[in-house]
Amino acid sequence: MKFIRNSAVLVVLFFLLDILRYFILPDVSSLEGTNPEKTAFMEYRQKAWKNAGWADRRVSYEWVPLQKISGNLLKAVLIAEDDKFWQHDGFDYEAMERAFEKNLKERKITMGGSTISQQLAKNLWLSPSKNPIRKLKEAILTWRIEQALSKKRILEIYLNVAEWGDGIFGIEAAARHYYGTSAAGLTAVQASRLAAVLPNPIRWSPTGGTRYVRNRSAIIYRVMVRRGIVLPGYREMTGREPDAVSVDTLKRGVPEFLIDQALWPERKAP
């Protein structure tokens, strides 16, 4: 009995130390002036390839400074992934509450409430696992990221290490792979489609024809138009383009908060 109790104490101590070490390691502040050469997600992808017998495969990764990334892409990603990025301290509690309620209702995890800062912590140092221990580590690292780095630097690193396809890391590699252009040359439509697949870039492709990608990218684009980020062309204004279709016909597979944003002027009108 004593042996079992002591073993249990040791296990608990091990897990506590494993979590608490993230208050010290890794050196988050070094990212202020140094670009990451490799991330945990890159290593995870390479390990998966090796296990599948594709040891020769290499990740596609090319760093590009924030000022050389299309403004269309910046806005599309913020709209889709973290609309309160510039205001929050690393955690969007309203988004977390929405995700909790939706997942509870559907009795499975179908929606996340992670901010860009949280996603960056996960991508850089953790794994895709959704277990509570990993989430605790992510929370600690997110807090440290927000303390050590500026918002612009957080966004710059995120856009350069986010995965946009199997082994395609960073917006420069993604822009060239899918559209044959640089990150600076992405159009609003291309940006909305790239932003649409971020929740699961292995399952969805920006150039694919799945209903989810069409719907989500159309909503993101609609929000960009509503906010004046994108000026609609003549055909869109006269309703002859798919992007001008009513948002109500595009809801399938799209988070409710994005639909709310797209319809905001209509719902708030007196």
Side-chain angles (χ1 to χ4, degrees):
M1 186 68 180
K2 185 177 180 181
F3 172 77
I4 295 175
R5 184 171 61 250
N6 290 340
S7 298
V9 170
L10 287 174
V11 170
V12 171
L13 285 174
F14 172 80
F15 279 111
L16 281 175
L17 289 173
D18 184 47
I19 294 170
L20 293 176
R21 68 189 174 96
Y22 285 95
F23 279 106
I24 303 172
L25 298 172
D27 182 9
V28 176
S29 61
S30 66
L31 290 173
E32 186 62 50
T34 305
N35 300 330
E37 295 182 1
K38 184 176 286 189
T39 70
F41 265 48
M42 292 179 191
E43 293 176 348
Y44 176 87
R45 193 63 59 212
Q46 288 179 316
K47 184 178 180 180
W49 291 339
K50 184 177 181 180
N51 292 339
W54 304 329
D56 293 335
R57 288 192 65 178
R58 296 289 182 269
V59 299
S60 179
Y61 173 53
E62 183 178 348
W63 187 273
V64 61
L66 191 65
Q67 61 267 29
K68 291 188 177 181
I69 298 176
S70 165
N72 292 320
L73 190 282
L74 297 177
K75 298 296 177 59
V77 168
L78 289 174
I79 288 169
E81 293 296 298
D82 192 355
D83 207 29
K84 296 180 181 178
F85 175 73
W86 301 109
Q87 288 79 42
H88 65 60
D89 59 357
F91 304 93
D92 185 343
Y93 300 104
E94 290 184 9
M96 292 167 68
E97 183 179 355
R98 284 197 303 267
F100 176 78
E101 291 175 352
K102 182 176 178 61
N103 295 336
L104 187 65
K105 181 179 179 181
E106 299 191 10
R107 297 183 180 181
K108 61 180 179 179
I109 299 177
T110 60
M111 178 182 179
S114 296
T115 63
I116 281 175
S117 302
Q118 288 175 278
Q119 292 179 49
L120 179 59
K122 178 180 67 175
N123 291 352
L124 285 174
W125 299 299
L126 302 172
S127 74
S129 169
K130 295 182 180 180
N131 70 69
I133 300 298
R134 199 274 289 165
K135 294 297 289 184
L136 280 173
K137 295 175 182 178
E138 178 188 291
I140 294 169
L141 289 169
T142 298
W143 175 77
R144 291 184 61 204
I145 284 173
E146 287 280 338
Q147 295 297 309
L149 306 177
S150 68
K151 285 287 189 178
K152 284 187 177 180
R153 182 58 174 164
I154 292 171
L155 184 58
E156 180 179 50
I157 298 174
Y158 173 77
L159 293 175
N160 274 285
V161 302
E163 190 170 21
W164 259 287
D166 192 15
I168 302 170
F169 289 89
I171 189 56
E172 183 70 16
R176 295 193 180 281
H177 177 82
Y178 293 112
Y179 298 111
T181 187
S182 66
L186 289 167
T187 67
V189 171
Q190 292 168 344
S192 65
R193 292 186 72 86
L194 283 162
V197 303
L198 278 170
N200 195 335
I202 303 300
R203 180 178 179 183
W204 299 306
S205 167
T207 55
T210 64
R211 178 176 291 181
Y212 174 88
V213 174
R214 291 199 312 270
N215 290 357
R216 187 175 172 90
S217 62
I219 293 294
I220 294 168
Y221 185 86
R222 179 77 175 264
V223 174
M224 293 171 75
V225 171
R226 290 280 186 181
R227 295 183 180 181
I229 298 167
V230 178
L231 296 178
Y234 172 76
R235 289 188 177 182
E236 289 174 280
M237 290 190 290
T238 55
R240 297 178 186 175
E241 288 290 318
D243 289 321
V245 175
S246 169
V247 173
D248 290 327
T249 69
L250 300 171
K251 288 184 178 181
R252 187 177 180 84
V254 180
E256 187 66 29
F257 76 93
L258 273 183
I259 296 170
D260 287 340
Q261 290 180 45
L263 292 177
W264 186 85
E266 297 168 9
R267 291 181 176 175
K268 295 294 182 180

